Amino acid sequence: MPITVNDTQYDLPDDPRVSLLDFLRHEIGLTGTKKGCDHGQCGACTVLVDGMRINSCLSLAVMHDGDTVQTIEGLGTETDPSPLQKAFLEHDGYQCGYCTPGQICSATAMLNEFANNWPSDASDDLEAAIDMSDEEIRERMSGNLCRCGAYVNIVAAIKAAAKEMAA
Ligand code: FES
Ligand code: FES
């Protein structure tokens, strides 16, 4: 079975050593997903697999037979950006932009986790409805590092996108 990336089907690589990240960037030319550390430490390579966020550098492409992958290119376009893509632009949620695709993919999945009331390490009550506080957002986005330190604006962008999506 092939892999589906942003609504297009591709054959998986013959070489079982190819990471999902290298497959996306080098084999099908989707260079929006970035390679930072290549060791699961920075989150720059975050993509969505069947709606869940993962570090694509830590996953082999052949493990995704039949899976549906979304990358930053599949979330929106220049003329029709996703609410998060728009909010990152409006709130200056980036400086050099290298971590941004990973931040936006991660935040996309994170907002679904909020919508399903998944608790995090910052949640006091595991049963109660969770308030989208700055602390909750920072904890849930802690796997995505930004060397430029745009964290304050990233949190503001995520809150703005969540508000727009709720409206
Ligand atoms: S490149 Fe994958 S976590 Fe850093
Ligand atoms: S915007 Fe430069 S690393 Fe985050």
Side-chain angles (χ1 to χ4, degrees):
M1 218 188 290
I3 184 172
T4 303
V5 184
N6 302 336
D7 296 328
T8 302
Q9 286 197 339
Y10 299 92
D11 289 328
L12 286 162
D14 293 329
D15 188 340
R17 299 168 299 178
V18 176
S19 69
L20 179 60
L21 174 60
D22 286 344
F23 172 73
L24 293 171
R25 288 183 56 84
H26 301 307
E27 303 213 9
I28 62 173
L30 293 176
T31 53
T33 306
K34 301 297 186 235
K35 183 182 283 189
C37 62
D38 210 18
H39 284 87
Q41 295 174 349
C42 72
C45 65
T46 305
V47 297
L48 307 180
V49 176
D50 296 332
M52 306 283 286
R53 48 184 170 165
I54 68 160
N55 289 337
S56 59
C57 69
L58 291 184
S59 193
L60 296 170
V62 292
M63 293 164 61
H64 297 286
D65 196 10
D67 284 353
T68 298
V69 177
Q70 256 189 316
T71 68
I72 189 71
E73 292 93 340
L75 296 182
T77 64
E78 214 170 310
T79 50
D80 185 23
S82 76
L84 274 161
Q85 287 172 323
K86 203 163 128 235
F88 268 67
L89 281 169
E90 285 170 356
H91 291 265
D92 268 342
Y94 55 87
Q95 288 180 38
C96 76
Y98 199 81
C99 72
T100 312
Q103 300 277 3
I104 292 177
C105 283
S106 193
T108 300
M110 188 206 63
L111 290 180
N112 281 333
E113 293 163 16
F114 256 122
N116 288 306
N117 213 39
W118 288 13
S120 79
D121 201 42
S123 311
D124 293 328
D125 185 340
L126 302 186
E127 307 283 331
I130 298 165
D131 180 40
M132 196 181 294
S133 63
D134 287 10
E135 190 189 0
E136 279 282 358
I137 293 173
R138 282 198 298 267
E139 167 60 27
R140 290 163 192 262
M141 293 296 292
S142 60
N144 290 83
L145 305 184
C146 174
R147 282 190 293 183
C148 299
Y151 295 113
V152 172
N153 291 1
I154 289 170
V155 171
I158 291 170
K159 287 180 111 166
K163 203 167 160 192
E164 189 191 322
M165 288 159 78

